[in-house]
Amino acid sequence: MAMQKLMKAVVLETHGAALRAVPVAVHESGVEKYGSTGVLASSDDRGWSGLSAQLRTHSSGAIAWKNTQPDTEICVAIRGNRSVITRQGGGIFDRTVAERRTIWLCPAGLQEDYIDISDPVPGILHIYLPPSHFSPNSLGVDLDKSVIASLRYESGFQDPLLAEIAFAIVSELQSQTAAGRLLAETLACSLAARLVQNHVSSSPAQASQRITKEGLDRRRLSRVLDYLEANLEGDLTLDHLASIACLSRFHFARAFKAAIGQSPHQYVSAKRLERAKALLIRGDEPLADIALALNFSCQANFTRAFRHVTGQTPGQFRRSPG
């Protein structure tokens, strides 16, 4: 099926709060399996490379998709209810109530035989992780390929860390930040590591290896910070930052946070908003140009992020006395 896009405006609620409407671009991976209706928000127009995500409503009925799963799919009930979701795949028959924070896992390379939804579900986030995230290179630990390939098809379960990652993705889908792509890549690494830690069919000792918790040494940290300062208006990716530090993505993200006290995404977001303030004080550059220079997809998302941090819109900040 060729790439399909469906643009629509919706109002979604997360953690009980009403959020703003967003345009939605639908990716064919979700369309083939679940159809083009019911998409509330999607990452497909964000330029994310670490993962893709779609927030959907689901109507009742059976889903008759019989293809092999190309990526690992993690489904998280963001706004659950008492609907019963029945699934069959990988030799497992699963019937789970779709309560908030319930998670379902279907690994890449597996065909789900059957899905049935008893009642409409108001919000499930579908996260797709490509196989490359489960390589020893990406994870930063020397795991045998057979361990990574044994990721399990899981019945509905609870995992507080996976749930919080899902809510962070939903928040970014609805309100774009200055370093949303970097956040997605960081969360993709954390998702892959958590799945390998808790959801592979291997010995606990082999699957639970950890990278060091020590921060970046001074030389590597200085090199990364200098690069970030010089390229805040560029397309910063976790892969590239990790390569500057000569570390895997996952190792770099953990070591950077240990050294700085912030994740790469948080640090870049703060620095980009500082740069935005400097550009606004100069007063001679259109707001739309500043938004695009700082990697926002549009001026509205830039305004929303700026107001969230400063309490003022960029225009108000520019007009305020120094």
Side-chain angles (χ1 to χ4, degrees), residues 13-16 40 54-58 74-85 96-105 117 119-127 156-160 162-168 170:
E13 296 182 3
T14 307
H15 292 287
L40 302 179
Q54 295 173 359
L55 181 65
R56 287 175 166 269
T57 62
H58 285 283
I74 305 107
C75 302
V76 184
I78 301 300
R79 296 185 62 217
N81 58 7
R82 301 304 296 176
S83 175
V84 176
I85 296 182
T96 308
V97 175
E99 296 178 319
R100 188 169 179 268
R101 292 176 172 263
T102 301
I103 302 167
W104 299 268
L105 173 62
I117 302 172
D119 298 282
V121 183
I124 290 183
L125 181 69
H126 298 260
I127 306 168
F157 63 95
Q158 299 282 330
D159 185 315
L162 291 182
E164 287 309 311
I165 290 173
F167 280 110
V170 170

Side-chain angles (χ1 to χ4, degrees), residues 96-169:
T96 308
V97 175
E99 296 178 319
R100 188 169 179 268
R101 292 176 172 263
T102 301
I103 302 167
W104 299 268
L105 173 62
C106 183
L110 187 142
Q111 177 181 309
E112 271 189 306
D113 301 320
Y114 182 78
I115 303 174
D116 183 75
I117 302 172
S118 68
D119 298 282
V121 183
I124 290 183
L125 181 69
H126 298 260
I127 306 168
Y128 300 95
L129 277 179
S132 58
H133 273 295
F134 297 93
S135 67
N137 245 4
S138 179
L139 291 168
V141 292
D142 188 20
L143 285 177
D144 186 88
K145 288 183 179 179
S146 64
V147 174
I148 298 170
S150 64
L151 197 63
R152 299 190 300 264
Y153 182 86
E154 289 280 19
S155 304
F157 63 95
Q158 299 282 330
D159 185 315
L161 178 57
L162 291 182
E164 287 309 311
I165 290 173
F167 280 110
I169 292 171

Side-chain angles (χ1 to χ4, degrees), residues 236-265:
L236 296 170
T237 67
L238 194 63
D239 270 336
H240 191 60
L241 295 179
S243 70
I244 292 170
C246 300
L247 296 171
S248 72
R249 288 176 296 180
F250 183 62
H251 193 166
F252 168 74
R254 292 285 296 273
F256 186 93
K257 186 170 184 178
I260 296 295
Q262 293 179 301
S263 69
H265 159 256

Side-chain angles (χ1 to χ4, degrees), residues 15-39:
H15 292 287
L19 301 178
R20 294 174 62 86
V22 295
V24 176
V26 182
H27 190 277
E28 67 173 332
S29 62
V31 171
E32 288 184 352
K33 188 171 184 178
Y34 302 108
S36 59
T37 60
V39 179

Side-chain angles (χ1 to χ4, degrees), residues 277-298:
K277 289 179 181 179
L279 293 172
L280 289 167
I281 289 171
R282 281 183 2 203
D284 58 356
E285 192 167 355
L287 296 182
D289 290 352
I290 294 175
L292 294 177
L294 295 176
N295 273 265
F296 286 93
S297 61
C298 63

